[in-house]
Amino acid sequence: MKNFSGRHFGKKNGVILLTTILLIAFATISVYGVTTFVVERLVSSETQTVNNQAIYLAQAGIHSALYDFRNNDLSGNGYFSLGQTDIDSNNYFVIGGSQADLLMVNTSFTVLGGEYTPRECRAMARTCRRECRDDRNDCYEDCDDAQDECYDDAYAVYEACRAACPGGWQGWLCRILCQLDLYDAYGACDDAWGNCRDQCYADYLTCVTECDDDLQDCIDGNKLTDIYIQNVTDSQTITIDRMIVTWDNAHQLEEIVIDAQTVWTGSASSSADANLNPDFTLNASQTIYSIDHLEFSGTMADATTASIEFVMADGSSKSVLVYPESDNNNFTVRSTGKTAQSSVYRTMAATYNSLTGEVMALEEDNSEVSP
């Protein structure tokens, strides 16, 4: 019995030892699991905090850029500056964008095509100038008639003056004075005649100028005109390398003129890939440039749409429906928010229409804007 009890006691102690070991192992695993969970939660919470902070900074950059543009637009042409803005020693945002983002294209005045061909326009201009000459000649005749009438009136006054003078030698001085008055009256008639003809000629020049203006407007029937472009930052120039032009009739694109400079000539069907020569650079001083015209081989009166893809020197591009005319004058600003202690960043992109004062799109961008 005693030996049996010893063996029973030893077996019991072994079970207790094994149970203790298992409990210790379980407790260790549990503590490790809880610790890991707590650490992960703390890291996740910190990451979420940094993410939120970064997105707030990115949004602050967007607001700052749009505020600067609108504020500058009150006294001139709007613009904003690129680069890094430090909120404090640890937090900052960077404002940037591609060259295409920074190109603003105003299509609110665009005209495409007209009713007449260039030959018909020139024929109407010749008729207009001929009418100007006829009106000038009629005006000259009116001046001559007015001068003759003025002479007749002056001579009638002279005769009345002489008739009132005493006869004989007593009236000689009176008659001389009448003669002098007649000469003065004739001189006034001549001055009036000269002024009349000068006015006739001035009216003629104005008429011819109006004919020439009408001719240009008429000839624009084979052109796309009145598109305006601007660089919206004061921090860097931007350069247009190519313009891909698309329209919906069979005519050929023959010429592109920007700011009175011919930048492309040729003969190309839609969609025409026009490599500008030279490239056209928009400076950083908010100049508004006119795309004077895109000239085609025939009247564009039957064309209903036209679009241009602007391909910039940095490879970025912007496609714009330029006709029918619309309130399109958009640019895009990008802002990256970041903290100095983390590699986490968030970027926002906003597209703004300067004519309507509306944000057309606001979205998150995966790319990082560099200072």
Side-chain angles (χ1 to χ4, degrees):
M1 289 294 294
K2 186 174 182 180
N3 292 336
F4 176 78
S5 297
R7 289 194 300 271
H8 179 74
F9 179 77
K11 186 176 181 180
K12 183 177 181 181
N13 286 344
V15 170
I16 293 172
L17 178 61
L18 178 61
T19 301
T20 302
I21 293 172
L22 290 174
L23 288 173
I24 292 172
F26 176 77
T28 302
I29 292 171
S30 297
V31 170
Y32 176 78
V34 170
T35 302
T36 301
F37 175 76
V38 170
V39 170
E40 287 179 351
R41 287 298 300 270
L42 289 174
V43 171
S44 175
S45 177
E46 183 178 354
T47 300
Q48 186 62 42
T49 299
V50 173
N51 263 298
N52 290 341
Q53 192 167 0
I55 197 69
Y56 295 150
L57 289 167
Q59 291 172 346
I62 294 293
H63 289 300
S64 175
L66 294 183
Y67 172 82
D68 287 345
F69 180 89
R70 292 171 65 115
N71 186 54
N72 292 321
D73 202 37
L74 294 175
S75 57
N77 300 323
Y79 67 91
F80 58 90
S81 300
L82 308 181
Q84 179 172 318
T85 298
D86 295 328
I87 303 303
D88 53 37
S89 58
N90 295 319
N91 301 290
Y92 62 89
F93 58 77
V94 183
I95 295 174
S98 68
Q99 292 192 20
D101 290 335
L102 304 175
L103 175 68
M104 191 161 61
V105 184
N106 187 345
T107 66
S108 61
F109 304 101
T110 309
V111 176
L112 175 64
E115 184 177 356
Y116 303 101
T117 67
R119 177 176 297 179
E120 290 170 331
C121 291
R122 284 189 284 270
M124 288 187 289
R126 287 193 295 270
T127 299
C128 180
R129 295 190 193 99
R130 185 164 52 249
E131 291 174 350
C132 292
R133 289 193 296 270
D134 292 342
D135 290 343
R136 179 198 61 188
N137 293 337
D138 289 343
C139 183
Y140 283 166
E141 290 180 2
D142 290 341
C143 293
D144 294 341
D145 292 342
Q147 183 186 42
D148 291 340
E149 185 177 352
C150 183
Y151 280 170
D152 291 342
D153 291 343
Y155 194 77
V157 171
Y158 165 71
E159 287 187 329
C161 178
R162 282 180 60 89
C165 291
W169 65 269
Q170 294 91 346
W172 72 270
L173 181 59
C174 176
R175 289 188 292 273
I176 290 175
L177 294 175
C178 291
Q179 187 72 40
L180 294 175
D181 288 342
L182 175 63
Y183 293 155
D184 290 341
Y186 279 169
C189 291
D190 291 340
D191 290 342
W193 174 81
N195 292 335
C196 180
R197 286 180 65 91
D198 288 345
Q199 187 61 51
C200 291
Y201 189 71
D203 292 343
Y204 163 73
L205 294 179
T206 300
C207 181
V208 169
T209 299
E210 291 174 353
C211 291
D212 291 341
D213 290 343
D214 291 343
L215 170 62
Q216 189 59 53
D217 291 341
C218 183
I219 286 182
D220 284 345
N222 67 332
K223 294 176 182 175
L224 176 66
T225 62
D226 297 329
I227 306 170
Y228 300 94
I229 54 177
Q230 179 193 338
N231 179 1
V232 295
T233 179
D234 64 342
S235 302
Q236 67 179 48
T237 61
I238 60 175
T239 300
I240 302 173
D241 176 56
R242 292 157 41 225
M243 292 169 59
I244 302 174
V245 187
T246 304
W247 63 98
D248 60 348
N249 68 20
H251 293 309
Q252 305 288 300
L253 177 65
E254 296 183 334
E255 183 180 62
I256 299 176
V257 176
I258 304 177
D259 195 35
Q261 180 181 10
T262 300
V263 295
W264 182 85
T265 58
S267 181
S269 302
S270 179
S271 300
D273 190 346
N275 187 17
L276 305 191
N277 184 20
D279 294 347
F280 188 81
T281 298
L282 293 81
N283 65 31
S285 62
Q286 291 67 65
T287 301
I288 295 178
Y289 300 92
S290 171
I291 299 181
D292 301 317
H293 67 254
L294 282 69
E295 185 170 348
F296 299 86
S297 59
T299 179
M300 300 296 286
D302 62 339
T304 59
T305 62
S307 63
I308 301 175
E309 180 182 356
F310 296 89
V311 182
M312 311 302 289
D314 65 353
S316 62
S317 65
K318 167 179 286 190
S319 295
V320 180
L321 179 67
V322 293
Y323 185 84
E325 70 278 7
S326 64
D327 290 334
N328 177 17
N329 203 20
N330 303 340
F331 66 84
T332 299
V333 56
R334 303 180 191 275
S335 172
T336 293
K338 201 169 182 181
T339 61
Q341 294 86 1
S342 173
S343 61
V344 175
Y345 67 86
R346 300 289 287 274
T347 301
M348 298 294 296
T351 299
Y352 178 77
N353 187 316
S354 68
L355 293 181
T356 63
E358 298 178 356
V359 175
M360 309 300 295
L362 180 63
E363 58 189 1
E364 187 163 358
D365 188 343
N366 292 327
S367 62
E368 181 179 2
V369 179
S370 301

